[in-house]
Amino acid sequence: DPMNVEALCGLAQARKFESGDPWIMRFEELLRQKNLRADQLAPLHHAFAKICNDLGRYDDAFVNFTIGKTYKNIRFDAGHLEETYRNLASLFTPEFFLERQGWGSKDERPVFVVGLPRSGTTLTEQILSSHGMCAGLGELPDMRRVAQQVGFGKGSPATFANEVRRLKKTDVRRLANTYLNAYVRSSKPGAARMLDKSPHNYELLGLIALLFPKAHVLFCQRNPMDNCVAIYMQNFDDSHGYNRSLSDLGRYWRAYRFLREEMVRQVPLPIALVDYESTVADPEEAARRIVKSVGLPWDDACLRFYETERAVRTPSRWQVRQPIYTSSVGRWNRYASHLGPLQIELGKAGMGPAS
């Protein structure tokens, strides 16, 4: 089926294209068709943009990424998100946790790899899941489902905070056990550490600390320009409405940074900041620090993470099969002439959601 848009888009993501590849003409022919639907044009423009990027046609790539987003009917309420994050920061204080000391599970296995998408979370998980005592579980939906039971993402920005305040000790233990049921899906059921690599769990660190006071957190971070551009270049589903425009993305990043700083300061968990640029600059030093931060002895297999055979279903599925490379550092400069709205948002004073 030469007109199968889904198959062609999958092909575009599966490998790197070079000039003269006959498939490029197929994409160009398809984009000239007049009978394609919006739900076909959005992924097709993103896929062709990726091909242009492979070919070094960076202006064409960015134009097609942007056109692709015009076919997506996505809503993003920045004000609602910012108010939600302010409520989280006001709720999960040292006093909150002191009053509920000893409520959560004593299980030491949970490790949460969090951060923005495209910030190095998959790389971090792949390094650590190569350890003989770790099991990488991928992006589990379970913590988000647990949070939704307590009102996360429902009602007003204050709904979740109000519901968490009402929890009793028995509720906390029940919710923790509900999440732990996810571990039965592990291929290494006896592992000392279970890795949940759901990036947006950074929003739930307060709840995680309440349920699992002995958990470990690896908080991935990356240069904001590189991180935001990498997010913009993805054809994410509607739950990532913040990537519909550069200005929305910049405002979202400022809200994210506010919450990250508040959670790192207030949540009583060992939170290790994993800097993407440092990881690619000195992989061994970074890998040793990652392993140490979750309380495990060193394993040389962590340096051969690209040989680890496990399913990876994120946009980084190709990259984690390769040794570490540095070409993604400073990549935003290729598109600098298009990034004015993003730079304006990131440059606003305070970088916080109230600014």
Side-chain angles (χ1 to χ4, degrees):
D1 180 2
M3 302 295 287
N4 190 313
V5 171
E6 184 178 6
L8 284 170
C9 291
L11 176 66
Q13 297 298 330
R15 61 185 173 86
K16 188 171 183 177
F17 284 71
E18 296 180 355
S19 180
D21 191 309
W23 284 103
I24 299 173
M25 187 177 296
R26 179 67 56 81
F27 276 89
E28 292 172 335
E29 290 174 355
L30 198 53
L31 282 168
R32 287 194 291 267
Q33 298 293 320
K34 303 296 183 183
N35 59 344
L36 295 180
R37 304 184 307 271
D39 64 329
Q40 294 175 306
L41 285 166
L44 191 60
H45 274 285
H46 272 83
F48 186 63
K50 185 267 181 188
I51 292 174
C52 290
N53 204 59
D54 288 347
L55 302 174
R57 294 163 49 185
Y58 301 124
D59 287 340
D60 289 341
F62 212 85
V63 167
N64 275 276
F65 283 127
T66 302
I67 292 174
K69 295 184 190 306
T70 66
Y71 293 104
K72 297 170 72 69
N73 185 23
I74 303 175
R75 296 184 180 276
F76 172 59
D77 189 339
H80 188 280
L81 177 82
E82 291 164 353
E83 186 61 28
T84 297
Y85 283 9
R86 281 192 285 268
N87 274 277
L88 294 176
S90 298
L91 170 67
F92 293 115
T93 62
E95 293 75 23
F96 171 90
F97 292 106
L98 187 61
E99 293 169 0
R100 294 160 178 81
Q101 196 168 13
W103 280 27
S105 168
K106 293 181 171 59
D107 200 312
E108 298 182 1
R109 292 176 296 169
V111 177
F112 296 90
V113 182
V114 304
L116 287 183
R118 316 301 292 148
S119 65
T121 55
T122 302
L123 173 59
T124 299
E125 183 203 24
Q126 187 76 350
I127 290 171
L128 193 52
S129 66
S130 302
H131 195 291
M133 299 171 67
C134 291
L137 304 177
E139 296 188 8
L140 294 178
D142 300 76
M143 184 53 67
R144 177 87 23 173
R145 290 172 180 167
V146 166
Q148 289 170 346
Q149 292 181 32
V150 200
F152 188 81
K154 302 176 182 178
S156 74
T159 298
F160 177 64
N162 292 335
E163 292 299 316
V164 169
R165 288 189 182 95
R166 296 190 183 102
L167 291 176
K168 308 298 183 185
K169 183 176 182 179
T170 53
D171 298 322
V172 170
R173 292 288 176 88
R174 172 180 56 80
L175 292 171
N177 289 332
T178 298
Y179 174 79
L180 290 174
N181 287 333
Y183 290 175
V184 302
R185 304 197 290 271
S186 170
S187 60
K188 294 162 68 174
R193 298 289 185 267
M194 296 288 188
L195 278 59
D196 181 345
K197 193 221 62 122
S198 297
H200 280 88
N201 276 346
Y202 79 81
E203 298 177 314
L204 305 177
L205 287 183
L207 182 64
I208 289 170
L210 179 63
L211 271 53
F212 299 106
K214 294 185 179 294
H216 293 81
V217 176
L218 298 170
F219 207 133
C220 299
Q221 55 186 6
R222 184 180 181 184
N223 172 278
M225 289 295 290
D226 274 335
N227 203 166
C228 289
V229 169
I231 290 172
Y232 189 74
M233 292 165 63
Q234 298 301 314
N235 184 34
F236 285 141
D237 62 32
D238 291 359
S239 65
H240 299 268
Y242 53 84
N243 93 329
R244 69 176 182 174
S245 74
L246 291 172
S247 56
D248 281 343
L249 189 51
R251 187 170 175 182
Y252 179 83
W253 189 89
R254 291 192 295 118
Y256 145 80
R257 182 176 187 239
F258 164 83
L259 187 62
R260 181 188 73 195
E261 292 178 348
E262 292 297 299
M263 293 299 97
V264 169
R265 183 171 61 87
Q266 297 182 171
V267 168
L269 285 176
I271 300 177
L273 297 177
V274 182
D275 184 74
Y276 177 78
E277 289 77 16
S278 297
T279 300
V280 300
D282 191 341
E284 180 170 353
E285 192 280 333
R288 288 184 179 276
R289 186 162 49 84
I290 288 169
V291 171
K292 183 178 180 180
S293 71
V294 299
L296 292 179
W298 175 245
D299 185 338
D300 285 338
C302 294
L303 293 180
R304 302 186 302 276
F305 66 90
Y306 48 89
E307 298 176 358
T308 300
E309 296 184 5
R310 51 184 291 271
V312 178
R313 298 180 176 86
T314 74
S316 303
R317 55 191 172 274
W318 181 78
Q319 291 97 322
V320 296
R321 307 300 185 203
Q322 320 302 319
I324 282 179
Y325 54 91
T326 60
S327 59
S328 57
V329 176
R331 182 177 287 174
W332 71 270
N333 287 288
R334 297 172 178 173
Y335 321 98
S337 63
H338 302 276
L339 301 179
L342 175 62
Q343 290 175 308
I344 289 171
E345 281 297 327
L346 293 183
K348 288 186 177 178
M351 295 278 196
S355 61

